[in-house]
């Protein structure tokens, strides 16, 4: 019998929150997304994790070897 290490991706309920100056909500969203995508923030911009409401973020019906399905299995 082989031994495997299995990693399953989780959706972790938390929010990214940042203050921006903008004229409209649309502009505020664009600026916030820009700061997020450019890593222009620190851990203070992430809210506490809601550990009670974790969900798996995996594709159980797909090929378990597909990259991006949220499943990582390696023989150890």
């Amino acid at each position: 019998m082989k031994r495997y290490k299995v990693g399953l991706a989780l959706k972790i309920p938390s929010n990214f929150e940042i203050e921006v100056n903008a004229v409209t909500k649309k502009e505020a969203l664009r600026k916030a997304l820009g700061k997020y995508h450019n890593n222009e923030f620190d851990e203070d911009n992430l809210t506490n994790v809601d550990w009670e409401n974790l969900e798996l973020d995996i594709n159980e019906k797909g090929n378990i070897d597909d990259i991006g399905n949220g499943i990582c299995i390696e023989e150890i």
Side-chain angles (χ1 to χ4, degrees):
M1 185 173 297
K2 298 177 182 178
R3 185 162 180 82
Y4 294 91
K5 182 176 184 179
V6 179
L8 302 175
L10 292 173
K11 292 180 186 178
I12 301 176
S14 180
N15 288 323
F16 169 75
E17 294 181 349
I18 195 162
E19 293 183 9
V20 296
N21 294 320
V23 176
T24 65
K25 288 182 179 182
K26 189 172 184 176
E27 181 186 7
L29 173 61
R30 184 183 54 77
K31 286 183 175 185
L33 287 171
K35 289 188 177 293
Y36 178 80
H37 290 302
N38 292 322
N39 294 315
E40 296 175 26
F41 63 93
D42 57 36
E43 63 184 40
D44 291 338
N45 297 113
L46 303 177
T47 62
N48 290 333
V49 174
D50 181 2
W51 294 109
E52 305 265 329
N53 290 303
L54 294 178
E55 290 181 44
L56 285 176
D57 189 17
I58 64 172
N59 180 0
E60 294 181 68
K61 296 182 176 144
N63 181 332
I64 64 172
D65 293 320
D66 284 347
I67 294 175
N69 67 359
I71 301 169
C72 177
I73 302 174
E74 60 185 40
E75 188 175 342
I76 53 175

